[in-house]
């Protein structure tokens, strides 16, 4: 299944994409697409529904992030051997783990906002893993049983904040709108091999990233098992698994995002995102 969320920001409803590419409304069956509904039993119930009997949603309806109420948004750094090489870094002996704040999450086609003072906002197409079953000290052999599905993630990053301002990477990774998720969550039965998916990203029509999950160093079963040693993974948590080469920081000379540009990115079988890049508004929104 291709599951999704649609509607205005903060008021999204659950839906699915039928075989003809039509969005269907699931809100008569579940209240939202969040952790409680991502277990194998719940997904099996949704799979038994006849999409043709579900209400049709207009094609121009906004898509929200494909998972609601995300508890943890965990990212893996330098997890593609060719990306590590372009940044001049060595492949780490254990996964590099950092966080994106859940306030960074936005819809797959929402605007990406360049933070105030930013000169080095960058892009990273990534494969996202959505947890469907609680995982604590799970064995690698059983780890995929804890995965509900996969999605596209743009791990938008401010490189100066991340690398030149001391401390951890997190301050350059979790700015508002730096975590577009979707367009849909594709359940594991539709992705036979998540380690053999083409992935790409373009800025204003120029393709910068053109890679594959084949060059992922630490693969998904290992990552789920590894992370579950240090934290309990809960249904609805998202793991972003790293990016292939072609990021702006790796260009010679480096290239960074500017207001007015457009990003398009996708992962094979998981859909496409399109984001306009905008400057942070001069006046902050009222609380």
């Amino acid at each position: 299944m291709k599951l999704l969320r649609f509607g205005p920001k903060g008021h999204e409803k659950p839906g699915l994409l039928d075989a003809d590419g039509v969005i269907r409304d699931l809100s008569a069956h579940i209240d939202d697409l969040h952790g409680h509904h991502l277990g194998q039993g719940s997904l099996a119930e949704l799979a038994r529904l006849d999409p043709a009997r579900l209400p049709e949603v207009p094609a121009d309806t906004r898509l929200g992030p494909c998972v609601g109420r995300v508890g943890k948004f965990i990212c893996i750094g330098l997890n593609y051997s060719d990306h590590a090489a372009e940044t001049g870094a060595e492949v780490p002996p254990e996964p590099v783990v950092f966080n994106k704040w859940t306030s960074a999450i936005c819809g797959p086609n929402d605007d990406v906002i360049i933070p105030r003072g930013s000169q080095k906002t960058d892009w990273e197409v990534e494969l996202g893993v959505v947890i469907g079953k609680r995982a604590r000290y799970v064995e690698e052999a059983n780890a995929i049983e804890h995965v509900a599905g996969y999605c596209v993630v743009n791990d938008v990053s401010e490189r100066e904040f991340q690398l030149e301002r001391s401390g951890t990477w997190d301050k350059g990774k979790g700015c508002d709108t730096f975590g577009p998720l979707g367009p849909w969550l594709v359940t594991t039965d539709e992705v036979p091999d998540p380690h053999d998916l083409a992935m790409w990203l373009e800025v204003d029509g120029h393709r910068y990233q053109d890679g594959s999950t084949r060059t992922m160093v630490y693969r998904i079963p290992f990552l789920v098992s590894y992370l579950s040693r240090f934290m309990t993974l809960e249904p609805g948590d998202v793991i972003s698994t790293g990016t292939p080469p072609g990021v702006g920081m790796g260009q010679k000379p480096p290239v960074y995002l500017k207001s007015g540009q457009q990003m398009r990115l996708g992962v094979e079988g998981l859909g496409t995102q399109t984001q306009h890049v905008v400057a942070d508004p001069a006046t902050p929104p009222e609380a």
Side-chain angles (χ1 to χ4, degrees), residues 57-76:
V57 177
D60 60 352
T61 301
R62 171 188 175 267
L63 295 179
C66 61
V67 187
R69 309 182 201 177
V70 175
K72 293 189 284 295
F73 193 172
I74 308 158
C75 300
I76 307 299

Side-chain angles (χ1 to χ4, degrees), residues 114-115 118-123 156-159 178 256-257:
I114 296 180
S118 168
Q119 300 295 322
K120 298 181 179 181
T121 298
D122 203 347
W123 56 81
V156 186
S157 309
E158 212 299 339
R159 301 303 187 186
F178 273 24
Y256 296 111
L257 292 167

Side-chain angles (χ1 to χ4, degrees), residues 179-206:
L181 299 181
W184 33 76
L185 186 165
V186 182
T187 51
T188 55
D189 59 297
E190 292 198 10
V191 187
D193 185 0
H195 306 106
D196 189 19
L197 302 176
M199 52 202 312
W200 55 274
L201 183 144
E202 298 173 350
V203 180
D204 289 344
H206 178 81

